[in-house]
Amino acid sequence: MKNPINQKEPNFQIDIEPIGKRVYAEPGETLLDAAQNAGIDIISLCGGAGICNSCKVRIIDGRVSEVTRNERTAFTPEEIASGFRLACKATILSNVKIDIPPESLSTPQRLQLEGQEFKAGLEFGKECVIRYYDLELNEPSLTSLESDLSRIKSALEKKGLMEVHCRFEILKNLSDLLRTQRWKVRTVIRYLLDDQHGEVVAVLPVGTPLYGLAVDVGTTKLAAYLVDLDTHDIVEKIGEMNPQIAFGEDVISRIAYCNEHSGGRDVLQKKLVSTINLMIEKMIKKRGIKLERIVECVVVGNTVMHHLFAGIPVKQLGLIPFVPAIADEMNIRACDICINIAKASYVYMPPNIAGYVGADHVSMVMSTRIHEKEGIHLAIDIGTNTEISLAAYGKLICCSCASGPAFEGAHIHHGMRAAAGAIERVKILNGEIRIATIGEKPAIGICGSGIIDAVAELYKEKIIDYRGVFVKKEFLIGIGTKHEGYELVSADFSGNGKSLIVTRNDINEIQLAKAAIRTGIDLLLQETGITYDKIDKFIIAGAFGSYINIRSAIIIGMFPPLPIDRFHQVGNAAGMGAVELLLSLKMRKLTTSFSRRMTYIELTTCPEFQQKFISAMYFPKVVDR
Ligand code: FES
């Protein structure tokens, strides 16, 4: 068995996005060698001959060898200028940060798209934001000289719409369309206020099916849903990594990027929008439909993502007191931010609550309905930033905690995001370690749910104590070195020939993250004078939350020790909320109304914050072992 401690310390550090994995390479190694040695499956159809172009990567930072002739053939000059290289041809010359596009990976990162779907129960024409009318218009003649648009307005007036505006973009093709369709058209109206006021956002041939788009913009991941506006079914869904990861792993570093680079905000906005457009393209291609049939869009995201999507300044979000530029709901013309859907359509963005509680959390609250339920409900969305809302006695209070990127595998010695080969489950039974990996691939690292399990098991087995200190040293390897830790997988059995360990520092990272979350929960409870045992329903939303082992989260003290049946893992509730907001005008109005009564608590201003945080760093003394 290889001893990881005696392995030669490699020379260069390679940070691989979007997987979030750090690997090491010898000088002279290619990027392909380094990635594959670390168990990352970059596609290399020609085996590194430089002729298949399947191993494309983008250099974000650092130096590699000169561009080769093969690469000049593989890429346009613009692509080369923006850092694209063939991983098999680029030799590493310094520490490097690279981005692997999804098409170059044979096993993409796991992205949570599912959530508990609702059935809105709306009838087309009632409560829907988008409604259509199939109109049969009179042809103009020398005795009927009304303009084309007036004909449509008069026909709509007869159907009860007293005030209808028409977007300029519609007029560009309207006259031709009316004539080719022999004066029978489907007129698509967007309602914002009531049943009598609307805006024409598309005029299409009669019978054209209509679609809407809902997008959840996470700091790490994007989820998009294509919805049939007639049946209200999600007909396609797709997940991608947020391309802004290449500019910083969390919202703070993205704000810093915007502050430090002139035009930085523009770069981040364009990256995000072009990825969303690609997602749209993939979905409509699969579905066989045209862009102009997507007539409405809803985008939710945390406040920083919300602002970056809309192209709004984010500088103030990084400065005390962290206020958003806008908290109200927004209706932006899709063409103003270059989202490729019907030209005259709109993007609706729900309200933000505060600098670190954004429209995605509002969407999650709406979707889980905690604002209207009886009893005491707590809803939490865990990410690099964790938002929590507590609904009790008619009050709705929320907070945000800086849980950091440890649950994404960052700052964990062998951490990685939830991709194939990541350890996602750990169990220690009678001294025997059992692990489960994503995709049942050989282990190459540990993702968030895996590290929570590992820490909980180490504590349960009394290998670490309540402070997180290793107390049974006989179970450790590499004692006294910087690689001292508990070995989950030996080098012989891992997918990258390296021993995969949990270090004291990893445990500390998890303690910091879980303490941030638990402090948030406890301070919200304290604010309403409720003890945790009174919580009727504890809702865990979000991609990461879907995979957490709740018992492990209780053991380490991240969640209070409630009976398991009070916990509900609901998946991407923010995404499901966005779908509902896409359809229902009533839900948009309700969301605006409850968001106005949501009280935001800035945790750092609570006098007990520091003390509670320090206490929450420890593991609970009473454990159901
Ligand atoms: S592996 Fe074929 S071009 Fe790199």
Side-chain angles (χ1 to χ4, degrees), residues 32 43-55 86 88:
L32 184 64
I43 305 171
S44 58
L45 299 177
C46 68
I51 51 174
C52 70
N53 302 343
S54 64
C55 64
L86 293 176
C88 65

XYZ file of all heavy atoms in Angstrom, residues 32 43-55 86 88, ligand 1:
105
model
N -4.164 17.532 -19.340
C -4.936 16.284 -19.444
C -4.384 15.241 -18.478
O -5.138 14.605 -17.740
C -4.883 15.750 -20.886
C -5.723 14.503 -21.160
C -7.206 14.790 -20.980
C -5.468 13.949 -22.558
N -12.780 14.102 -21.555
C -12.885 13.215 -22.714
C -11.631 13.385 -23.579
O -11.211 14.512 -23.855
C -14.146 13.552 -23.545
C -15.399 13.493 -22.654
C -14.304 12.606 -24.732
C -16.653 14.010 -23.314
N -11.029 12.278 -23.979
C -9.845 12.363 -24.844
C -9.943 11.265 -25.892
O -9.297 10.232 -25.806
C -8.567 12.224 -24.021
O -8.572 11.004 -23.331
N -10.789 11.538 -26.890
C -11.117 10.506 -27.881
C -9.904 10.055 -28.677
O -9.797 8.897 -29.067
C -12.213 11.027 -28.830
C -13.547 11.393 -28.168
C -14.526 11.957 -29.187
C -14.163 10.170 -27.487
N -8.958 10.983 -28.927
C -7.792 10.602 -29.743
C -6.613 10.203 -28.864
O -5.492 10.037 -29.355
C -7.407 11.739 -30.680
S -6.762 13.182 -29.815
N -6.866 10.097 -27.565
C -5.819 9.655 -26.652
C -4.689 10.656 -26.499
O -3.555 10.287 -26.186
N -4.978 11.921 -26.764
C -3.964 12.957 -26.539
C -3.159 13.314 -27.777
O -2.148 14.002 -27.681
N -3.629 12.880 -28.957
C -2.889 13.181 -30.190
C -3.149 14.619 -30.665
O -2.486 15.102 -31.583
C -3.271 12.185 -31.273
N -4.137 15.259 -30.079
C -4.416 16.653 -30.445
C -5.250 16.787 -31.706
O -5.224 17.823 -32.362
N -6.011 15.752 -32.047
C -6.760 15.833 -33.306
C -8.282 15.704 -33.131
O -9.024 15.921 -34.075
C -6.281 14.753 -34.308
C -6.261 13.376 -33.640
C -4.903 15.098 -34.874
C -5.946 12.235 -34.588
N -8.753 15.358 -31.910
C -10.195 15.132 -31.771
C -10.929 16.342 -31.179
O -12.144 16.435 -31.252
C -10.462 13.911 -30.889
S -10.049 14.180 -29.155
N -10.189 17.263 -30.600
C -10.739 18.487 -29.998
C -11.743 18.205 -28.876
O -12.597 19.032 -28.577
C -11.427 19.382 -31.046
C -10.484 19.774 -32.146
O -9.273 19.651 -31.984
N -11.021 20.245 -33.255
N -11.686 17.018 -28.286
C -12.675 16.688 -27.250
C -12.220 17.139 -25.863
O -12.993 17.123 -24.915
C -12.945 15.183 -27.229
O -11.771 14.488 -26.860
N -10.962 17.558 -25.725
C -10.418 17.838 -24.393
C -10.277 19.337 -24.132
O -9.367 19.765 -23.436
C -9.073 17.147 -24.221
S -7.823 17.775 -25.351
N -6.307 22.956 -25.761
C -6.541 21.512 -25.698
C -5.746 21.012 -24.492
O -4.525 21.246 -24.410
C -6.058 20.834 -26.977
C -6.844 21.171 -28.259
C -6.192 20.513 -29.483
C -8.299 20.723 -28.142
N -4.681 18.235 -23.761
C -3.600 17.290 -24.069
C -2.369 17.983 -24.634
O -1.305 17.378 -24.733
C -4.090 16.215 -25.034
S -4.547 16.854 -26.647
S -7.413 14.305 -26.480
Fe -7.937 14.585 -28.556
S -7.422 16.632 -28.871
Fe -6.853 16.344 -26.838
